[in-house]
Amino acid sequence: MPETLTLTRPDDWHLHLRDGPALATSVRATAEVFGRAIVMPNLGPPVTTVEQALAYRGRILEALPDGSDFEPLMTLYLTDRTSREEVQRAAACEHVLAFKYYPAGATTNSESGVTGLENVYSVLEVMEEKGLPLLVHGEVTDPAVDVFDREKAFIDRMLSGLVERFSSLRLVFEHITTADAVQFVMGAREGVAATLTPQHLLMNRNDLFVGGLQPHNYCLPVLKRGAHQEALRRAATGGNPRFFLGTDSAPHARGAKESACGCAGCFSSPAALPLYAQCFEELQALDRLEAFASHFGPDFYGIDRNTSTLTLRRETWMVSDELEFHSGEKIVPYWAGRQLSWQVA
Ligand code: DOR
Ligand code: ZN
């Protein structure tokens, strides 16, 4: 059994950093390990223009520790009102890599999201033409659809058609949670990929309820049953370049999670790489972790892989029960109080 594992420095292809005083905690946790991250635009108000994205990028860089070379890769929030000109500006800006599509009302700060796919057809044409990827939160918002079936319904009602209609649009199906999504991505045309989070690889929906209600395991899309988890684990560790790392780390203060109406999101950044290593080791696939974490993402986005490296060493350690967040607030990291067998050296 190897005692250390040296990888090309990984990147996080799906991350929530927040803004204001929360930024320092979140950006530091990521920058310690990852070279780059795709930064989600669901701030309140959302990041809808290149100008706003560049200002946000400046605040992220300011929040970095001295000497850090972490690079935030910015995204714009697609709305019913996004103009073709904004897409052109985004395509021309080296710091903006993609647009994020939230169905309106699907998740945290998605109120300004798209209310009907037809409303964005004309801007999707420009994205397709410019090779600018669309990052998709894949859940329907129809209240008649069971929460656990919303990803599958999204594939059937929206995604299949979208991928065919815009036949060269590059698309990332973000934080997939079902065997249906795995199957869809595997069978889709070229230019379709997916990200996988640590929580969906390490847990299933039992982990929301067993031993009492577990708010720190609650995220959206919600954890699914064990058979889906198994399919995701096989996809992550199978060596298929369409599946790569995206933590969806989404910090919320302890009080906002442990509440009568708790927020969705797992703050996985502080242990992200050891969490993935845990899953890969359980499936005897540690030799495939590097490609998943460090190669397939930049290859999909058409940018260079990182040139520096990062080493994990075998060491049993426990994720902190609680961390400082900001302004006196605490935050409970994902996997708090539980052990992991790899640590960043
Ligand atoms: O669990 C989630 N939290 N899912 C999302 O889609 C958004 C995120 C957040 O921003 O908190
Ligand atoms: Zn997210």
Side-chain angles (χ1 to χ4, degrees):
M1 275 218 288
E3 290 303 304
T4 63
L5 195 63
T6 297
L7 318 172
T8 303
R9 195 170 176 199
D11 304 300
D12 186 347
W13 298 96
H14 186 126
L15 176 67
H16 298 268
L17 285 176
R18 313 305 188 204
D19 206 354
L23 200 46
T25 307
S26 60
V27 86
R28 278 158 195 258
T30 293
E32 276 179 14
V33 172
F34 294 96
R36 298 165 293 195
I38 284 275
V39 179
M40 288 297 132
N42 65 330
L43 304 180
V47 179
T48 54
T49 65
V50 171
E51 195 183 346
Q52 289 165 349
L54 292 178
Y56 183 31
R57 178 173 180 272
R59 297 193 294 278
I60 296 168
L61 294 177
E62 260 170 47
L64 282 170
D66 288 342
S68 171
D69 59 355
F70 172 78
E71 198 188 337
L73 309 173
M74 309 312 291
T75 61
L76 299 191
Y77 189 117
L78 187 63
T79 76
D80 288 344
R81 291 164 306 283
T82 301
S83 68
R84 289 169 67 97
E85 292 69 36
E86 202 58 51
V87 181
Q88 267 143 3
R89 275 191 288 275
C93 175
E94 58 174 333
H95 299 302
V96 175
L97 264 74
F99 269 82
K100 178 69 188 276
Y101 167 69
Y102 288 106
T107 186
T108 310
N109 290 342
S110 64
E111 299 75 19
S112 318
V114 176
T115 60
L117 257 185
E118 331 69 69
N119 301 335
V120 292
Y121 279 171
S122 135
V123 291
L124 292 181
E125 273 168 24
V126 187
M127 274 177 228
E128 182 176 37
E129 185 189 305
K130 298 280 180 188
L132 203 57
L134 182 69
L135 316 183
V136 176
H137 182 110
E139 290 190 287
V140 296
T141 54
D142 179 350
V145 178
D146 188 284
V147 164
F148 291 95
D149 297 332
R150 288 184 183 184
E151 186 172 275
K152 165 88 168 78
F154 183 84
I155 297 169
D156 298 342
R157 294 186 191 178
M158 328 269 283
L159 196 57
S160 305
L162 179 70
V163 161
E164 291 320 311
R165 182 180 187 108
F166 298 92
S167 59
S168 56
L169 178 66
R170 302 187 63 71
L171 185 144
V172 184
F173 195 173
E174 298 289 340
H175 43 55
I176 59 168
T177 65
T178 58
D180 310 282
V182 169
Q183 204 182 5
F184 175 81
V185 171
M186 283 183 162
R189 62 154 171 84
E190 224 218 280
V192 176
T195 52
L196 288 154
T197 77
Q199 65 268 23
H200 295 103
L201 295 175
L202 292 170
M203 291 185 170
N204 60 59
R205 66 191 193 179
N206 289 341
D207 294 286
L208 290 168
F209 308 113
V210 172
L213 196 58
Q214 307 292 335
H216 300 289
N217 298 340
Y218 174 58
C219 65
L220 286 171
V222 72
L223 297 170
K224 304 300 191 297
R225 59 169 71 240
H228 291 296
Q229 181 194 2
E230 281 313 312
L232 301 173
R233 286 161 73 89
R234 281 194 300 274
T237 56
N240 183 329
R242 290 177 177 233
F243 299 99
F244 47 83
L245 185 157
T247 62
D248 198 20
S249 181
H252 293 278
R254 174 164 216 148
K257 294 283 293 172
E258 297 174 8
S259 133
C261 184
C263 293
C266 299
F267 182 43
S268 60
S269 298
L273 204 58
L275 288 162
Y276 284 108
Q278 192 81 17
C279 165
F280 276 69
E281 179 156 70
E282 284 166 10
L283 283 128
Q284 275 104 47
L286 272 178
D287 57 327
R288 291 185 169 163
L289 179 62
E290 182 182 33
F292 173 80
S294 316
H295 296 168
F296 297 156
D299 294 355
F300 177 84
Y301 279 88
I303 60 181
D304 290 342
R305 297 173 181 178
N306 291 319
T307 49
S308 56
T309 59
L310 184 98
T311 298
L312 287 168
R313 67 163 183 276
R314 186 182 294 285
E315 176 195 315
T316 302
W317 66 288
M318 206 180 83
V319 178
S320 305
D321 287 323
E322 182 178 82
L323 298 167
E324 297 294 329
F325 191 22
H326 66 87
S327 327
E329 299 253 33
K330 308 284 187 194
I331 186 161
V332 178
Y334 176 67
W335 210 253
R338 298 176 69 158
Q339 288 195 343
L340 290 170
S341 19
W342 290 88
Q343 178 57 298
V344 177

